[in-house]
Amino acid sequence: MMQAASEDEETQKQGCVVIMWPPSNSEGSIRRDLQNGKTILPCLPVRISATHLCLAEDQHLHSFAAWTLLSLFPGLRARTRVHIGSITENQYKLISYGISSEYLPVTSTGNLKNQNHLKWIAYREAKDSATQRGLPFNGIDCPSVRDVLAGKGPHISKNPANIVFRKMMETRFMEHRDARIVERKTSITWEIVETIKNRGGRFLVKDKSWWVVADPDTAREKVSVAFRDMRKAYTSQGDSGTKKKSNSDDDSQGSEVRKRKRESDEK
């Protein structure tokens, strides 16, 4: 797995984050895992930028964790964090370091998730098969932080490049909506595609269990569809506001009629 990570340019630049989550709360088992980790980490083909050790809640493990940190050499100790608590608590602690619980292979109840692992195995098998046959393989397993991902879901909307892309769309939305000719609308979509490209990003679409780079026309179509969805949302919000105002006016008129009727009855 580490050899595969070493093939990724972004991983080589940014480094790799290691999360150690021992299945057993036995001090002897944890000590053995840590010793193995200290032996293996210096031999890995990628740079380790941070290490997180997640342990179950146990009173005596607090002092054990402190001594464990002291036993590490200074370079590794500065990049190591120990988290002690329930599975959910440790997941929230990892989120504070930018590690989403969606990518962790364990649920809040302790069950293992293997979907991402199976997808990665399928990706490696396809890549190795293409390499053995001398064929090009354009699949991307780990997109960079500058790549815009096509699709829906939390992991798509929270992708850093998608957040930048949405802000870019919001900035150009009024200009695109008010453009009177189709050629100008098309020009705006191409400008956004070029801006993403000039920032070092790519538009990626799903192909089986991995990502592939979208061709320019497909990327422009994705931008056009995004503008259309924004226009629908904008129109929906406007209609909702108009309907709410109309209902409010109707309620006020109805109240006035009922008030006049009561006054008439009293007389």
Side-chain angles (χ1 to χ4, degrees), residues 57-107:
E57 180 60 54
D58 197 325
Q59 188 63 35
H60 79 278
L61 286 181
H62 289 270
S63 57
F64 171 74
W67 283 108
T68 299
L69 286 175
L70 290 175
S71 67
L72 301 177
F73 58 88
L76 180 59
R77 185 191 312 153
R79 301 192 303 271
T80 300
R81 296 293 182 271
V82 179
H83 313 293
I84 301 178
S86 65
I87 294 177
T88 302
E89 290 173 339
N90 286 336
Q91 286 179 337
Y92 276 108
K93 291 174 183 177
L94 291 175
I95 289 175
S96 66
Y97 290 90
I99 304 173
S100 174
S101 59
E102 297 174 7
Y103 299 106
L104 296 177
V106 61
T107 66

Side-chain angles (χ1 to χ4, degrees), residues 90-145:
N90 286 336
Q91 286 179 337
Y92 276 108
K93 291 174 183 177
L94 291 175
I95 289 175
S96 66
Y97 290 90
I99 304 173
S100 174
S101 59
E102 297 174 7
Y103 299 106
L104 296 177
V106 61
T107 66
S108 58
T109 57
N111 296 324
L112 293 179
K113 301 184 295 184
N114 63 353
Q115 293 90 344
N116 290 335
H117 186 62
L118 294 177
K119 290 179 181 179
W120 179 79
I121 292 177
Y123 165 80
R124 293 301 306 184
E125 288 178 346
K127 183 175 182 179
D128 293 343
S129 176
T131 302
Q132 291 174 2
R133 291 181 293 170
L135 300 176
F137 183 77
N138 300 321
I140 300 171
D141 176 49
C142 184
S144 84
V145 294

Side-chain angles (χ1 to χ4, degrees), residues 217-237:
D217 290 331
T218 301
R220 193 206 67 79
E221 181 64 25
K222 295 295 182 182
V223 177
S224 179
V225 171
F227 271 128
R228 184 191 64 192
D229 293 341
M230 290 183 67
R231 185 169 62 252
K232 288 182 178 179
Y234 182 86
T235 303
S236 177
Q237 291 176 359

